[in-house]
Amino acid sequence: MMTPSKSQLLTAALLASQSASGQTLTKPILNPEYDLGAMSQAFLPHLIAPAATSINKWAWGTLPSFCKSESIHEGFSAYNMEVYEVTFADCSQPWYMCRHNESTMSVGGMINAFGSLPVGTRDFIRHIVVFPHFMTPGVAAHAKSATGDLMFGFNYLETSLWIHEAGHIMDRQHGNNGDYSATPNWLNAYNSDTHLPTGYANTNQAENFAEHVILATYDNVVPGGLAGIPAPTPDRQAVQNQYTTVKNLLGNKIRKITGATCNRQPTALIGLTSPVVCMGPDALAQGACAGAPNMKRDENGHDALIAAAEKEPGVYEPASRWTQSA
């Protein structure tokens, strides 16, 4: 019997993560459907990142445990990960961003793309992690909803993509022991509409909810909202109950409000950062770990934190929907 390769296992995880979020939906797709690339361009003048008031690059040797576990999980060495502690003008509490040093996404691009999200949306995010690519072929991004972590590959900076991925985390954090997109309130909104906004929304309710977070944010921050999209204009009334439900649920969390500041409230699952650990024995030998623990191997030869991370496959975003930045 042949043992499947790691990439085969991860491809299976991509399919499993989609099916685990629910069944394929059956409503017709709007024609024309919403053009998320064009919406990303329309977002740009209205979702401008506040100034990064500090960008502190950590000395080589330690990193947040989530960044280590996911880098190894994706086939990269933790020794090649850079850690940036970033604060913005609208929040004195830092976000911890990890970037593989061979990533095509620049440090500035990573910080600006994240900072462009409304501060209320950023409140739900713990780590941003950027890799050159993912082990699973054809993946642009990966959301770990339960822990509030977003991962990106290549150089995908489209605003709609980042909102969509954040939408998965907000979906989980507004659910009751699960995703909000599985609640009767959401299903009632879905059943009250006649269509879905995009073809990808047809994947399952989790993806449908995340697509509507894009629509709801657009309706809030772009002058004229969904009604002002140039012709051919999608029929917003056919999805109105769904995006209105998202707008009411998330409120100011998906608005760009002058003077708004962060309101980060760490929970048992979403702290400001995962525990700081040593990159590995080479860093330990060079005295670069500053007392941070190494991640012990269990009896199966796997990092215990990797095993924990693999328990929830997360939500993978296909690259075919998005355009990389030059």
Side-chain angles (χ1 to χ4, degrees):
M1 179 178 177
M2 293 183 63
T3 301
S5 68
K6 188 170 184 180
S7 65
Q8 288 172 322
L9 290 172
L10 289 170
T11 301
L14 167 59
L15 298 175
S17 73
Q18 294 176 338
S19 62
S21 299
Q23 297 180 342
T24 300
L25 308 184
T26 57
K27 287 188 186 294
I29 311 304
L30 288 178
N31 183 17
E33 65 179 78
Y34 281 97
D35 183 340
L36 302 186
M39 293 172 77
S40 288
Q41 291 299 311
F43 274 127
L44 292 178
H46 310 291
L47 286 179
I48 299 174
T53 51
S54 67
I55 302 174
N56 176 32
K57 183 179 180 181
W58 286 14
W60 180 87
T62 61
L63 76 172
S65 59
F66 179 83
C67 299
K68 180 173 182 178
S69 65
E70 290 301 318
S71 65
I72 299 172
H73 183 62
E74 292 295 340
F76 297 107
S77 170
Y79 295 123
N80 295 115
M81 298 300 291
E82 305 166 343
V83 183
Y84 296 88
E85 187 174 328
V86 182
T87 61
F88 295 96
D90 56 11
C91 189
S92 61
Q93 296 172 305
W95 279 273
Y96 297 88
M97 308 184 190
C98 303
R99 175 186 177 273
H100 190 280
N101 59 17
E102 295 180 358
S103 297
T104 52
M105 187 182 297
S106 68
V107 175
M110 171 182 70
I111 292 173
N112 184 70
F114 178 65
S116 296
L117 299 176
V119 66
T121 298
R122 281 183 273 132
D123 278 338
F124 293 92
I125 313 300
R126 182 176 66 160
H127 295 305
I128 297 294
V129 186
V130 173
F131 296 119
H133 56 79
F134 288 103
M135 183 71 73
T136 307
V139 170
H142 183 186
K144 286 292 184 79
S145 302
T147 57
D149 299 305
L150 297 182
M151 293 171 278
F152 295 87
F154 301 96
N155 197 29
Y156 289 101
L157 296 172
E158 287 192 62
T159 304
S160 293
L161 169 61
W162 286 66
I163 293 173
H164 175 103
E165 294 306 301
H168 285 304
I169 293 176
M170 292 190 285
D171 184 11
R172 176 64 55 87
Q173 297 309 313
H174 288 80
N176 182 14
N177 296 319
D179 290 343
Y180 182 85
S181 59
T183 65
N185 284 348
W186 175 253
L187 296 177
N188 181 63
Y190 166 75
N191 289 326
S192 298
D193 283 336
T194 58
H195 286 71
L196 293 169
T198 65
Y200 190 64
N202 188 49
T203 305
N204 52 50
Q205 286 293 3
E207 298 297 351
N208 183 34
F209 180 90
E211 295 287 80
H212 277 93
V213 175
I214 301 173
L215 269 63
T217 304
Y218 189 100
D219 204 47
N220 281 340
V221 305
V222 177
L226 297 174
I229 292 178
T233 306
D235 180 9
R236 71 187 189 285
Q237 293 184 345
V239 295
Q240 186 170 12
N241 288 288
Q242 294 167 92
Y243 79 76
T244 300
T245 296
V246 173
K247 289 180 67 173
N248 292 338
L249 175 71
L250 300 181
N252 288 341
K253 299 162 189 173
I254 54 172
R255 293 182 182 275
K256 195 73 170 180
I257 301 174
T258 302
T261 57
C262 63
N263 183 27
R264 303 175 70 188
Q265 298 179 0
T267 66
L269 282 178
I270 302 182
L272 295 185
T273 182
S274 52
V276 177
V277 297
C278 185
M279 287 181 174
D282 288 354
L284 187 65
Q286 295 181 41
C289 289
N294 197 17
M295 291 168 66
K296 303 295 185 183
R297 295 274 173 180
D298 64 20
E299 65 276 10
N300 297 316
H302 295 90
D303 281 318
L305 285 175
I306 295 177
E310 289 175 342
K311 288 181 180 179
E312 179 179 319
V315 185
Y316 292 82
E317 178 68 18
S320 57
R321 299 207 308 143
W322 308 99
T323 301
Q324 291 194 62
S325 298

